[in-house]
Each structure stands twice: as C-alpha cells, then as structure tokens.
Amino acid sequence: MTSFKAACVQMRSGRSVAANVDDAEALIRAAAAAGAGYVLTPEMTTILDRDKAALLAAIGPEEIDPSLQRFREIARELGIHLHIGSMAIKLPDDHIANRSFLIAPNGAIIGRYDKIHMFDVDLSGGESYRESATYRAGDTAVVADLPWTKVGMTICYDVRFPALHRTLAKAGAAVLAVPAAFTKKTGEAHWHVLLRSRAIETGSYVIAAAQAGHHEDGRDTYGHSMIVDPWGKILAEADDQPGFIIAEIDPAFSVSARQAIPALVNARDFSLPEMPQVGTFVS
C-alpha cells in the first residue's frame, strides 16, 4: 500500500450547468497542480435546482451528457482519478438519478453510484425537502478500485446510515467518499460528528466534499469540506467559501486502526425478542 494525496473541491453550484462546470474545472485543476491524485467534487456538481421542470430541461442522459464528457477529458489530461460527487442524470419517463461517477486517468468510468437514501425531511422554520419527488433512489452499494486502495461511494444523506458505511468497509474500502450538499442548519448541528463517527466506527478515511453558501435556488449549504483519518482526526477542513482542501491518505493506517479497534470483525448478530405490551404481566 502506498500513500497518495486526496483533495475535496468545495463549490457553490447554481442553475447554470456551463458556469458550474467551469467553476469545477478550475478547482479540479488547482487541486491536481497541488499534487492530488484523487479529487472529489460535491453532490450536484453541475446543477443545484429544486425546480424539477427546470432541472429536467437542463440535464440529459448519461450517454450524451456533455458535462460528463468534459470531466472525462479533464481526468485524462491531468492523469488523475476524478470523482464527480454527483450529477443529475436524466432517466427514462422523466425520472432523474442523483449519480456519482469515478473516472480513471484514462477517462474511463470505473464506478457509478446512485444515491440510496432520499432526503425527505421537514426542518424547523418551514424548511422542507422531498428528494424522492425528484430523484429515483438507488438500491446498490458500490466499492470501486483506486491504485492505492478501494473507495466506498456514498452521497450526502447516506452519511446518516451507518450500516451502508460498515458494508462498504467490510467489502474492503479504506476510503469512504461523502460528497454532499448539507443544509446549513443540519450541517451546523451534525456534519462534524457524523463524518468523524463514520471514520471511527469503520476505521476508514472519510473524504467529504461539500457545497457551501447561498445558492440560486434559495437553499443555504454548510460547506466545511473535510478529510478525516481512521482515528477520527480531521486532517483538513474548508470554511464556507468555494475552494479546495488536500491531505495525505495512507491506506496502511486504515489497516492498523482496524487492528487496534477491530469493530468490523467483533460485531455479532443478535435478535430482539418480542416485548410484552405495557401492562402485561410476565411471570
């Protein structure tokens, strides 16, 4: 196992796909120039818009999506593993996938993942989200190969579901990718503790690229992209502005962390007996 440099690109994506791709490209190039061999962009890199009709009008199927083709060309030119945290991809019958792409240095797509857990919540102050009304949920976990280790692919709200990350780690992933567009409200409360928890309980590096700031569709995202080591230490953290962060990833440290705290192998199956109803006497 050899170490490598990983970078998170932090963005403030709006409604213009072309402008978002230009912004992403500039930051990807800067991260690669700083030595990153693996670069992760945030959830909804190419467009952030809660209006489904407008979203459908701005996107296309994967096979002909010009943004994806451009990202493949960038990965090939820079010779990096480029992980597009997610894009809105048009599916048949006006369905949309929230899809992540891992692109190899030769431009080939070596990993695809559709977000499994939909962010359907009502927050205080009237803030409400219904991702399931716009996106079709995935149903398959994905672990992809990097030259240095394996990476488990997740997206944003997935971070609240430990079983997914445990499954990815048990399948060999020493790195867990968490591209996100966390709301400012939930980010302030939970972002740091969730990312550090997923790292600690699986003995994995967590690489989390985020959206940040006030967006054209009216939402406010938290930012604070982070890279966390398998012991829960924050190696790099952004603020609330677009930019990138970079840190050294040593897959061997994941191995030693899992040996020191072997939670992945010590876990046991268990049952939960049916509990008596309140007021029922059990002798």
Side-chain angles (χ1 to χ4, degrees):
M1 293 185 183
T2 57
S3 61
F4 63 101
K5 287 185 177 180
C8 292
V9 163
Q10 183 160 287
M11 297 180 63
R12 188 174 297 151
S13 297
R15 289 178 164 134
S16 169
V17 173
N20 295 330
V21 172
D22 286 347
D23 290 345
E25 179 176 352
L27 290 169
I28 292 164
R29 289 184 180 279
Y38 167 88
V39 179
L40 174 67
T41 67
E43 181 182 27
M44 290 293 124
T45 291
T46 54
I47 188 169
L48 205 58
D49 196 336
R50 282 188 280 180
D51 185 308
K52 185 176 181 178
L55 188 60
L56 280 167
I59 65 174
E62 176 183 329
E63 296 78 14
I64 60 172
D65 189 286
S67 302
L68 182 58
Q69 182 58 37
R70 181 66 187 134
F71 289 133
R72 295 177 69 180
E73 292 169 357
I74 293 168
R76 188 182 301 114
E77 178 188 341
L78 298 177
I80 62 171
H81 280 79
L82 178 55
H83 189 162
I84 302 303
S86 84
M87 299 170 52
I89 296 294
K90 185 180 289 187
L91 303 174
D93 301 323
D94 284 344
H95 290 105
I96 303 172
N98 187 344
R99 183 169 296 167
S100 184
F101 295 95
L102 180 61
I103 306 168
N106 64 1
I109 297 171
I110 57 174
R112 290 176 179 83
Y113 168 72
D114 287 0
K115 185 176 182 179
I116 292 174
H117 300 99
M118 297 288 99
F119 190 55
D120 290 354
V121 303
D122 297 306
L123 303 175
S124 61
E127 196 174 358
S128 181
Y129 296 87
R130 288 290 179 276
E131 283 189 344
S132 62
T134 300
Y135 299 98
R136 189 177 74 184
D139 58 9
T140 304
V142 176
V143 173
D145 288 318
L146 296 173
W148 318 276
T149 187
K150 294 180 183 292
V151 58
M153 300 173 70
T154 79
I155 299 173
C156 200
Y157 190 48
D158 286 333
V159 77
R160 293 184 182 272
F161 299 87
L164 173 59
H165 298 77
R166 181 177 179 81
T167 297
L168 296 171
K170 290 188 74 174
V175 170
L176 302 174
V178 187
F182 243 65
T183 69
K184 188 172 187 291
K185 184 183 294 290
T186 57
E188 289 173 342
H190 301 148
W191 178 246
H192 289 77
V193 69
L194 284 169
L195 294 177
R196 295 185 68 204
S197 295
R198 298 298 84 84
I200 293 167
E201 67 199 11
T202 64
S204 305
Y205 284 90
V206 170
I207 302 176
Q211 295 280 355
H214 184 70
H215 300 264
E216 286 181 314
D217 74 346
R219 81 181 75 196
D220 292 286
T221 54
Y222 183 59
H224 292 268
S225 297
M226 289 204 303
I227 300 175
V228 185
D229 79 10
W231 211 244
K233 179 182 178 182
I234 299 172
L235 300 179
E237 180 177 356
D239 52 21
D240 60 355
Q241 298 298 315
F244 75 91
I245 58 173
I246 191 166
E248 192 84 12
I249 306 298
D250 180 7
F253 183 42
S254 176
V255 174
S256 63
R258 291 174 182 180
Q259 290 172 340
I261 308 291
L264 291 177
V265 296
N266 283 351
R268 299 180 61 187
D269 293 331
F270 55 87
S271 62
L272 177 65
E274 184 176 349
M275 301 299 291
Q277 304 226 343
V278 175
T280 302
F281 176 76
V282 179
S283 59

